[in-house]
Coordinates of all heavy atoms in Angstrom, one line a residue:
I333 N 89.8 2.6 148.5 CA 90.0 4.1 148.6 C 90.2 4.4 150.1 O 89.5 3.9 151.0 CB 88.8 4.8 148.1 CG1 88.6 4.5 146.6 CG2 88.9 6.3 148.3 CD1 87.4 5.0 146.0
C334 N 91.2 5.2 150.3 CA 91.5 5.7 151.7 C 90.9 7.0 152.0 O 91.0 7.9 151.1 CB 93.0 5.7 151.9 SG 93.5 5.5 153.6
W335 N 90.2 7.2 153.1 CA 89.6 8.5 153.5 C 90.4 9.2 154.6 O 90.4 10.4 154.7 CB 88.2 8.3 153.9 CG 87.3 7.8 152.7 CD1 86.7 6.6 152.7 CD2 87.0 8.4 151.5 NE1 86.0 6.4 151.5 CE2 86.2 7.6 150.8 CE3 87.4 9.7 151.0 CZ2 85.7 7.9 149.5 CZ3 86.9 10.0 149.7 CH2 86.1 9.1 149.0
T336 N 90.9 8.5 155.5 CA 91.6 9.0 156.7 C 92.9 8.2 157.0 O 92.9 7.0 156.6 CB 90.8 9.1 157.9 OG1 90.5 7.8 158.4 CG2 89.4 9.8 157.7
A337 N 93.8 8.8 157.7 CA 95.1 8.0 158.0 C 94.9 6.9 159.0 O 95.7 6.0 159.0 CB 96.1 9.0 158.5
N338 N 93.8 6.9 159.7 CA 93.6 5.9 160.8 C 92.8 4.7 160.3 O 92.4 3.8 161.1 CB 92.9 6.5 162.0 CG 91.5 6.9 161.8 OD1 91.0 7.0 160.6 ND2 90.7 7.1 162.8
Q339 N 92.5 4.6 159.0 CA 91.7 3.5 158.4 C 92.5 2.8 157.3 O 93.3 3.4 156.6 CB 90.4 4.0 157.8 CG 89.4 4.5 158.8 CD 88.2 5.0 158.0 OE1 88.2 5.5 156.9 NE2 87.0 5.0 158.7
A340 N 92.3 1.5 157.2 CA 92.8 0.8 156.0 C 92.0 1.3 154.8 O 90.8 1.8 155.0 CB 92.6 -0.7 156.2
P341 N 92.5 1.2 153.6 CA 91.7 1.5 152.4 C 90.4 0.7 152.4 O 90.3 -0.5 152.8 CB 92.6 1.1 151.3 CG 94.0 1.2 151.8 CD 93.9 0.8 153.3
L342 N 89.3 1.4 152.0 CA 88.0 0.8 152.1 C 87.5 0.2 150.8 O 87.8 0.7 149.7 CB 87.0 1.9 152.5 CG 87.3 2.6 153.9 CD1 86.3 3.7 154.1 CD2 87.2 1.5 155.0
L343 N 86.7 -0.9 150.9 CA 86.1 -1.5 149.7 C 84.6 -1.2 149.7 O 84.0 -1.1 150.7 CB 86.3 -3.1 149.9 CG 87.8 -3.5 149.9 CD1 87.9 -5.0 150.4 CD2 88.4 -3.4 148.5
Y344 N 84.1 -1.0 148.5 CA 82.7 -0.5 148.3 C 81.8 -1.5 147.8 O 82.0 -2.1 146.8 CB 82.8 0.8 147.4 CG 83.4 1.9 148.2 CD1 84.8 2.0 148.3 CD2 82.6 2.8 148.8 CE1 85.3 3.0 149.1 CE2 83.2 3.9 149.6 CZ 84.5 4.0 149.7 OH 85.1 4.9 150.5
T345 N 80.6 -1.6 148.4 CA 79.5 -2.5 148.0 C 78.3 -1.6 147.6 O 77.9 -0.7 148.3 CB 79.1 -3.4 149.1 OG1 80.3 -4.2 149.5 CG2 78.0 -4.3 148.7
N346 N 77.7 -1.9 146.4 CA 76.5 -1.3 146.0 C 75.4 -2.3 146.3 O 75.3 -3.3 145.7 CB 76.5 -0.9 144.5 CG 75.5 0.1 144.1 OD1 74.8 0.7 145.0 ND2 75.3 0.3 142.8
N347 N 74.5 -1.9 147.3 CA 73.4 -2.8 147.7 C 72.1 -2.3 146.9 O 71.5 -1.3 147.3 CB 73.2 -2.6 149.2 CG 74.5 -3.0 150.0 OD1 74.8 -4.1 150.1 ND2 75.2 -2.0 150.4
I348 N 71.7 -3.1 146.0 CA 70.7 -2.7 145.0 C 69.4 -3.5 145.3 O 69.4 -4.7 145.6 CB 71.2 -3.0 143.6 CG1 72.4 -2.2 143.3 CG2 70.1 -2.7 142.6 CD1 73.1 -2.6 141.9
I349 N 68.3 -2.8 145.1 CA 67.0 -3.4 145.2 C 66.3 -3.2 143.8 O 66.4 -2.1 143.2 CB 66.1 -2.9 146.3 CG1 64.8 -3.7 146.4 CG2 65.8 -1.4 146.2 CD1 64.0 -3.4 147.7
R350 N 65.6 -4.2 143.3 CA 64.8 -4.2 142.1 C 63.4 -4.7 142.5 O 63.2 -5.8 142.8 CB 65.5 -5.0 141.0 CG 64.8 -5.0 139.7 CD 65.4 -6.0 138.7 NE 65.1 -5.8 137.3 CZ 65.4 -6.6 136.3 NH1 66.2 -7.7 136.6 NH2 65.0 -6.4 135.1
I351 N 62.5 -3.7 142.4 CA 61.1 -4.1 142.8 C 60.2 -4.1 141.5 O 60.2 -3.2 140.7 CB 60.5 -3.0 143.7 CG1 61.2 -3.1 145.1 CG2 59.0 -3.2 143.9 CD1 60.7 -2.0 146.1
K352 N 59.5 -5.2 141.3 CA 58.6 -5.4 140.2 C 57.2 -5.3 140.7 O 56.9 -5.8 141.8 CB 58.9 -6.7 139.5 CG 60.3 -6.8 138.9 CD 60.5 -8.0 138.0 CE 61.9 -8.0 137.4 NZ 62.1 -9.1 136.5
T353 N 56.3 -4.7 139.9 CA 54.9 -4.6 140.3 C 54.0 -5.4 139.5 O 54.4 -5.9 138.4 CB 54.5 -3.1 140.2 OG1 54.5 -2.7 138.8 CG2 55.4 -2.2 141.0
S354 N 52.7 -5.5 139.9 CA 51.7 -6.3 139.2 C 51.4 -5.8 137.8 O 51.0 -6.5 136.9 CB 50.5 -6.4 140.0 OG 50.0 -5.0 140.3
S355 N 51.7 -4.5 137.6 CA 51.5 -3.9 136.3 C 52.7 -4.0 135.3 O 52.6 -3.6 134.2 CB 51.1 -2.4 136.5 OG 52.3 -1.7 136.8
G356 N 53.8 -4.5 135.8 CA 55.0 -4.6 135.0 C 56.0 -3.5 135.2 O 57.1 -3.6 134.7
I357 N 55.6 -2.4 135.8 CA 56.5 -1.3 136.1 C 57.5 -1.8 137.2 O 57.0 -2.4 138.2 CB 55.8 0.0 136.6 CG1 54.9 0.5 135.4 CG2 56.7 1.0 137.0 CD1 54.0 1.7 135.8
E358 N 58.7 -1.5 137.1 CA 59.7 -1.8 138.1 C 60.4 -0.6 138.6 O 60.6 0.4 137.9 CB 60.7 -2.9 137.6 CG 61.6 -2.5 136.6 CD 62.6 -3.6 136.2 OE1 62.2 -4.7 136.0 OE2 63.8 -3.3 136.2
G359 N 60.9 -0.6 139.8 CA 61.7 0.5 140.4 C 63.0 -0.1 141.0 O 63.0 -1.2 141.4
I360 N 64.0 0.8 141.0 CA 65.3 0.4 141.6 C 65.7 1.4 142.6 O 65.3 2.6 142.6 CB 66.3 0.2 140.5 CG1 66.4 1.5 139.6 CG2 66.0 -1.0 139.6 CD1 67.5 1.4 138.5
G361 N 66.6 1.0 143.5 CA 67.2 1.9 144.5 C 68.4 1.2 145.0 O 68.7 0.0 144.7
A362 N 69.2 1.9 145.8 CA 70.4 1.3 146.3 C 70.9 2.2 147.5 O 70.5 3.3 147.7 CB 71.5 1.3 145.2
T363 N 71.9 1.6 148.2 CA 72.6 2.3 149.2 C 74.1 1.7 149.2 O 74.3 0.6 148.9 CB 72.0 2.2 150.6 OG1 72.7 3.1 151.5 CG2 72.2 0.8 151.2
L364 N 75.0 2.6 149.5 CA 76.4 2.3 149.5 C 76.8 1.8 150.9 O 76.4 2.3 151.9 CB 77.2 3.5 149.1 CG 78.7 3.4 149.1 CD1 79.2 2.7 147.9 CD2 79.3 4.9 149.1
S365 N 77.7 0.8 150.9 CA 78.3 0.4 152.2 C 79.8 0.2 151.9 O 80.2 -0.2 150.9 CB 77.7 -0.8 152.8 OG 77.7 -1.9 152.0
Y366 N 80.6 0.5 152.9 CA 82.1 0.4 152.8 C 82.7 -0.2 154.0 O 82.4 0.1 155.1 CB 82.7 1.8 152.4 CG 82.1 2.9 153.2 CD1 82.6 3.4 154.4 CD2 81.0 3.6 152.7 CE1 82.1 4.4 155.1 CE2 80.4 4.7 153.3 CZ 80.9 5.1 154.5 OH 80.4 6.1 155.2
T367 N 83.7 -1.0 153.8 CA 84.3 -1.8 154.9 C 85.8 -2.0 154.6 O 86.2 -2.0 153.5 CB 83.6 -3.1 155.1 OG1 83.3 -3.7 153.8 CG2 82.3 -3.0 155.8
E368 N 86.5 -2.3 155.7 CA 87.9 -2.7 155.6 C 88.0 -4.2 155.4 O 87.1 -4.9 155.9 CB 88.7 -2.3 156.8 CG 88.7 -0.8 157.1 CD 89.3 -0.4 158.4 OE1 88.8 -0.9 159.5 OE2 90.3 0.3 158.5
N369 N 89.0 -4.7 154.7 CA 89.3 -6.1 154.6 C 88.3 -7.0 154.0 O 88.4 -8.2 154.1 CB 89.6 -6.6 156.0 CG 90.7 -5.8 156.7 OD1 91.7 -5.4 156.1 ND2 90.4 -5.4 158.0
G370 N 87.3 -6.5 153.3 CA 86.3 -7.3 152.6 C 85.1 -6.6 152.3 O 84.8 -5.5 152.9
F371 N 84.3 -7.1 151.3 CA 83.1 -6.4 150.9 C 81.9 -6.7 151.9 O 81.8 -7.8 152.4 CB 82.7 -6.9 149.5 CG 83.7 -6.4 148.4 CD1 84.6 -7.3 147.9 CD2 83.7 -5.1 148.0 CE1 85.5 -6.9 146.9 CE2 84.6 -4.6 147.1 CZ 85.5 -5.5 146.5
D372 N 81.1 -5.7 152.1 CA 80.1 -5.7 153.1 C 78.9 -6.6 152.8 O 78.4 -6.6 151.6 CB 79.6 -4.3 153.4 CG 78.4 -4.3 154.4 OD1 78.6 -4.7 155.5 OD2 77.3 -3.8 154.0
R373 N 78.4 -7.4 153.7 CA 77.2 -8.2 153.6 C 76.1 -7.7 154.6 O 75.0 -8.2 154.5 CB 77.5 -9.7 153.8 CG 78.3 -10.3 152.6 CD 78.7 -11.7 153.0 NE 79.4 -12.3 151.9 CZ 78.9 -13.1 150.9 NH1 77.6 -13.3 150.9 NH2 79.6 -13.6 150.0
C374 N 76.5 -6.8 155.5 CA 75.5 -6.5 156.5 C 74.2 -5.8 156.0 O 73.1 -6.2 156.4 CB 76.2 -5.5 157.5 SG 77.6 -6.2 158.4
I375 N 74.4 -4.9 155.0 CA 73.2 -4.2 154.6 C 72.3 -5.1 153.8 O 71.1 -5.1 154.0 CB 73.6 -3.0 153.7 CG1 74.4 -2.0 154.5 CG2 72.4 -2.4 153.0 CD1 73.6 -1.3 155.6
I376 N 72.8 -5.9 152.9 CA 71.9 -6.8 152.1 C 71.2 -7.8 153.1 O 70.0 -8.2 152.9 CB 72.6 -7.5 151.0 CG1 71.5 -8.1 150.0 CG2 73.6 -8.5 151.4 CD1 72.1 -8.6 148.7
E377 N 71.9 -8.3 154.1 CA 71.3 -9.2 155.0 C 70.2 -8.5 155.8 O 69.2 -9.2 156.1 CB 72.4 -9.8 156.0 CG 73.3 -10.7 155.3 CD 72.7 -12.0 154.7 OE1 71.6 -12.4 155.2 OE2 73.2 -12.6 153.8
A378 N 70.4 -7.3 156.1 CA 69.3 -6.5 156.8 C 68.1 -6.3 155.9 O 66.9 -6.4 156.2 CB 69.8 -5.2 157.3
M379 N 68.4 -6.0 154.6 CA 67.4 -5.8 153.6 C 66.6 -7.1 153.4 O 65.4 -7.1 153.2 CB 68.0 -5.3 152.3 CG 68.5 -3.9 152.3 SD 69.5 -3.5 150.8 CE 68.2 -3.4 149.6
R380 N 67.3 -8.2 153.5 CA 66.6 -9.5 153.3 C 65.5 -9.7 154.3 O 64.5 -10.4 154.1 CB 67.7 -10.6 153.5 CG 67.1 -12.0 153.4 CD 68.3 -13.1 153.5 NE 68.9 -13.0 154.8 CZ 68.5 -13.6 155.9 NH1 67.4 -14.3 155.9 NH2 69.2 -13.5 157.0

């Protein structure tokens, strides 16, 4: 997807976390990242 004329079309990554608890309840969350020329790995590496 293109947003401005000065960028190449962007590719979108959904960076998802799945947290499990000792009681069995789990929670999920995510953040979006977008990059030119390939899918982003920066956010998940920071989350790691």
Side-chain angles (χ1 to χ4, degrees):
I333 300 171
C334 208
W335 297 114
T336 69
N338 69 345
Q339 291 176 335
L342 300 176
L343 299 166
Y344 287 80
T345 301
N346 198 11
N347 303 282
I348 300 172
I349 185 170
R350 185 185 193 186
I351 291 177
K352 298 187 177 182
T353 65
S354 54
S355 72
I357 297 176
E358 67 176 52
I360 54 177
T363 192
L364 175 76
S365 55
Y366 40 91
T367 40
E368 299 172 302
N369 306 313
F371 293 104
D372 175 59
R373 290 175 178 263
C374 295
I375 295 297
I376 193 170
E377 290 298 334
M379 292 170 67
R380 176 179 64 84

